Amino acid sequence: MLLLLTNCTVYAPHALGRQQLLVAGERVVWMGTDHDTPPVSAAVETIDLDGATVFPGLVDGHAHLSCGGGEAGP
């Protein structure tokens, strides 16, 4: 399934401004400005992110390896 995210502010890793992203599965396969036309010929679901900030490729490496969450751990 293809997903087109429009009207989003992209940082990758520096500010790229308003962009649209074409996502296939878990990968960004295309990025362009709002004036560019994505290279698709199949059905695409489009979501307007209304200016939300997007960090493609960011991996949150935060993990509690020793039950440091506080609720049920020591």
Side-chain angles (χ1 to χ4, degrees), residues 11 29 38 60 63:
Y11 288 84
V29 295
D60 183 3

Side-chain angles (χ1 to χ4, degrees), residues 23-58:
V23 180
E26 295 180 357
R27 296 185 182 265
V28 175
V29 295
W30 177 84
M31 182 170 61
T33 67
D34 290 338
H35 303 292
D36 296 331
T37 302
V40 294
S41 59
V44 176
E45 180 182 353
T46 301
I47 298 176
D48 184 347
L49 293 182
D50 195 29
T53 302
V54 176
F55 294 90
L58 177 69

